[in-house]
Every structure is written in C-alpha cells, then in structure tokens.
Amino acid sequence: NDPLPELDFEGKIFVFTGNIENGKDHCIKIIEKLGGSTKKKASRNTDYLVVATKGSDRYQRGDYGKNMEKSMNSRDQNGKPCIIPESYWRADERVSNLL
C-alpha cells in the first residue's frame, strides 16, 4: 500500500507471510496483546498482510505464495487487506515496545 497507513490493532485480523524475524508465534502474541487476532491464511476478512522482510526462498523464484496472491486480488476487489512490510509493522511503537 502506498502510502502506508497508520496501524490499528483492536479487532483487526493479521496474517504473516514469509520468514518473519523472531518467529510468527512471537508476533502472534504481540498482535493478541494489542487487541488483534491472526489467521494462517489470508481471506476477504483479513485487515493486514505482513510480508516478511527476509521473504522466503520461493520469493527468489518469483513465487510470492497464496497469501500474497489472495491478498492482492482481495485488495483490488474489496480495498483490503492492507499489505505492509514487516519492517513497517516492527517500527510501530506499540509493537517495538513488545519485541
């Protein structure tokens, strides 16, 4: 998304994709502490897709995975989810205080 939005956590659904620093389990706990929830797979109800800074081995082959594909299609049709880089998510003061 350009520009990147201010993050809202309360009642929002997050999906993490790729090799997330500190592991997805730790990030899920942070989201829950901030009032949000997470899912393993993106759907039309997803509010944010957080894309790993490191990506995954598949990214090098141009395969960004089903979560990215579904999210991009949903965003084009429904205006969400917001697709944000992991670095932007981590930079949010509420998140960085819990890392």
Side-chain angles (χ1 to χ4, degrees):
N1 285 72
D2 188 23
L4 292 170
E6 183 174 332
L7 297 179
D8 185 16
F9 294 91
E10 189 68 37
K12 301 298 181 183
I13 299 171
F14 287 76
V15 172
F16 290 90
T17 188
N19 297 322
I20 301 290
E21 194 174 325
N22 295 103
K24 291 179 184 175
D25 290 340
H26 182 66
C27 296
I28 288 167
K29 289 176 185 173
I30 291 172
I31 293 294
E32 291 171 349
K33 283 182 183 178
L34 295 172
S37 62
T38 62
K39 300 285 183 185
K40 290 186 179 189
K41 295 183 179 184
S43 74
R44 62 185 174 98
N45 296 322
T46 303
D47 295 295
Y48 297 98
L49 178 72
V50 182
V51 181
T53 302
K54 294 179 183 176
S56 114
D57 294 339
R58 294 185 326 209
Y59 290 7
Q60 294 174 4
R61 298 187 304 270
D63 177 5
Y64 296 101
K66 292 289 183 192
N67 278 326
M68 180 66 87
E69 184 181 320
K70 284 182 183 179
S71 295
M72 291 176 71
N73 289 335
S74 179
R75 185 181 64 184
D76 290 345
Q77 294 173 4
N78 306 314
K80 70 177 202 174
C82 181
I83 300 171
I84 59 172
E86 176 187 3
S87 58
Y88 183 75
W89 179 79
R90 290 172 142 306
D92 184 280
E93 185 176 348
R94 295 160 292 180
V95 172
S96 63
N97 286 337
L98 295 171
L99 286 172

